[in-house]
């Protein structure tokens, strides 16, 4: 069942007036969702959503219909006690996969890999070594070999990051460990324990980096830490710039000012007086950060991010928190970015969003491909998708010297090709030329600091950079755009329409197929499906708990076989379907 709420608000800020409006819809997912991510899981170039569910040991997939609405979730089993989730094409087959950190598994099974089928479904998980008691996971190319790697973090028994170096085929070449980093306690102070790592580009040196946060040091009042692990290019890291912050609840690496360097959004709780809020730490490019925003709310722990709310070319700081008046209403607080790079932290706008708890993470994306950035958050066993219906505002060109404002498209927009790109450069000295780099390749340039052109894009994700030059000095604005060709949604998943039945979508009855045999099936009952199984010639070859849909490959010898797909529900009832197939 979906819950649909339409909410709109008009607010007045000092010196200026602008309105924001959003529509919110809730979707059920697995029990205990504790992290939300977005990625394209079915190859239609429209962002889908996924949660990792600690209470049910599953991940849930929400496939986007292409208009910002989502199908009923699919669940896939993980290892024990999943805590973190990331999407990556781990085996480089063009299909998005999932990697999960498991907190309750032994080290040899603490990372689950779910290979994507390409239609929004996944093969049964296989587990690899990560580390003990993992609490987060992220991905990147940490040894600079072109293959995706997996980084996980743990604070037990010491603060450590474990990097599984990928071979580009879904396997692991080696593991590298970095430890001994972070804010160090003073005598008598509580230990600062790492709670999360995220991928970051700290210094544009071509080597992937990590940002991390820690909890909970201090004496009478708990405090936390924030720091950088600078990539050495071999899967190890050097600690840089650890500093204390209020107790961090999360961290997101976001290029807030779009200069190509990762900044940090840090939601926090706790200080010398009751307080909660979100920090925006801006990467200066010289190894330091400047805190450009501290949006306090004093209501309850918040979740935060940054995106261009109005489509005016400047990203705003946003955080979700609870309405102090109702105690049950989630509100979106918006600290608007000013043309000089500051934020309206003293007069943030508050917009009602949903009757729900705030959850732990806010992800952004253009879910209905209208060019405006939307967001979503998880709460308990639901995901709330918030579509941005704010009217697009006029471009507000930055006033800071040597800055480029990209008026359109917004960073993260999903658009049909060609993309319309409009930018303006601000400089105290004349701008000689402005260029567009598409996926790191120069594709267009024009004299002066103003650019207005269209650029053809192939379907898929693209990184673009608008770079202006003055007196031989470049300054830039980085953004991402996804090009798509269709309405989105992709093929419908396999479903069962009648209670106490199993519907086998693949293979067909009496089919002649190759090994491994791709088996896709769905089950339905009046009670929760507790297991689905595959038998080949009366032998159990596959079993997965707590899911009503399976999509997996089963190796079989050549010849005739009897395939049985069986489902069990929570009442103990079982039901099945039989297929006769031939493997050639």
């Amino acid at each position: 069942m979906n819950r649909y709420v339409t909410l709109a608000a008009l607010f007045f800020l000092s010196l200026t007036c602008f309105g924001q409006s959003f529509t919110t819809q809730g979707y059920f997912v697995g029990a205990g969702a504790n992290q939300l991510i977005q990625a394209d899981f079915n190859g239609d170039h429209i962002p889908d959503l996924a949660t990792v569910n600690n209470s049910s040991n599953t991940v849930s997939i929400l496939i986007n219909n292409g208009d910002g609405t989502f199908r009923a979730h699919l669940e896939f089993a993980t290892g024990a006690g999943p805590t973190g989730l990331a999407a990556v094409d781990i085996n480089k087959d063009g299909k998005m996969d999932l990697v999960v950190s498991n907190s309750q598994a032994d080290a040899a099974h603490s990372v689950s890999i779910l290979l994507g089928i390409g239609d929004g479904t996944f093969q049964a998980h296989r587990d690899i070594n990560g580390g003990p008691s993992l609490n987060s996971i992220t991905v990147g190319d940490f040894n600079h070999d072109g293959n995706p790697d997996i980084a996980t973090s743990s604070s037990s028994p010491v603060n450590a990051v474990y990097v599984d170096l990928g071979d580009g085929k879904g396997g692991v070449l080696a593991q590298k460990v970095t430890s001994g980093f972070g804010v160090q306690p003073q005598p008598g102070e509580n230990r600062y324990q790492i709670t999360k790592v995220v991928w970051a580009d700290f210094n544009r040196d071509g080597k992937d980096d990590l940002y991390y946060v820690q909890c909970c040091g201090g004496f009478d009042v708990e405090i936390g830490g924030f720091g950088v692990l600078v990539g050495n290019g071999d899967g190890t890291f050097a600690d840089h710039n650890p500093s204390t912050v209020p107790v961090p609840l999360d961290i997101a690496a976001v290029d807030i000012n779009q200069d190509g360097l990762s900044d940090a959004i840090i939601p926090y709780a706790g200080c010398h007086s009751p307080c909660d809020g979100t920090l925006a730490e801006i990467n200066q490019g010289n190894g330091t950060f400047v805190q450009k925003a501290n949006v306090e709310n004093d209501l309850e722990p918040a979740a935060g991010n940054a995106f261009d709310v109005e489509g005016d070319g400047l990203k705003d700081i946003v955080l979700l928190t609870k309405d102090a008046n109702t105690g049950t209403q989630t509100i979106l607080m918006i600290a608007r970015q000013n043309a000089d790079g500051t934020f309206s932290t003293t007069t943030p706008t508050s917009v009602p969003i949903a009757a729900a708890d705030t959850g732990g993470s806010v992800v952004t994306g253009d879910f209905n491909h209208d060019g405006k950035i939307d967001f979503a958050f998880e709460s308990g066993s639901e995901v709330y998708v918030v579509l941005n219906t704010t009217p697009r505002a006029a471009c507000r060109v930055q006033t800071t010297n040597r800055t480029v404002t990209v008026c359109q498209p917004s960073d993260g927009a999903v658009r049909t090709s060609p993309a319309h790109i409009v930018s303006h450069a601000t400089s105290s000295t004349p701008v000689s030329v402005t260029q567009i780099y598409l996926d790191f390749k120069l594709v267009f340039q024009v004299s002066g600091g103003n650019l207005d052109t269209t650029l053809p894009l192939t379907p898929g994700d693209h990184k673009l950079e608008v770079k202006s030059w003055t007196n031989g000095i470049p300054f830039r604005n980085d953004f991402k755009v996804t090009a798509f060709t269709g309405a989105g949604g992709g093929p419908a998943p396999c479903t069962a329409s009648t209670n106490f039945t199993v519907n086998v979508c693949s293979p067909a009855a009496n089919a002649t197929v190759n090994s491994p045999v791709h088996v896709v099936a769905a089950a339905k009952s009046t009670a929760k499906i507790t297991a689905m199984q595959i038998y080949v010639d009366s032998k159990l070859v596959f079993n997965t708990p707590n899911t009503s849909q399976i999509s997996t490959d089963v190796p079989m010898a050549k010849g005739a076989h009897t395939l049985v797909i069986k489902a069990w529900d929570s009442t103990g009832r079982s039901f099945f379907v039989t297929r006769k197939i031939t493997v050639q």
Side-chain angles (χ1 to χ4, degrees), residues 225-266:
F226 159 60
V228 181
L229 292 175
V230 181
N232 294 321
D234 61 358
T236 65
F237 303 89
D239 196 18
H240 175 79
N241 205 37
S243 59
T244 59
V245 293
V247 176
L249 305 174
D250 197 7
I251 182 171
V254 184
D255 186 1
I256 299 171
N257 58 352
Q258 296 183 231
D259 62 353
L261 298 170
S262 296
D263 308 306
I265 296 287
I266 306 176

Side-chain angles (χ1 to χ4, degrees), residues 72 127 147 169 176 181 241 255 257-258 332 401 500 503 572:
D127 299 336
N147 295 323
K169 303 176 182 178
K176 297 294 184 73
F181 54 84
N241 205 37
D255 186 1
N257 58 352
Q258 296 183 231
L332 179 70
N401 187 38
F500 315 122
N503 177 32

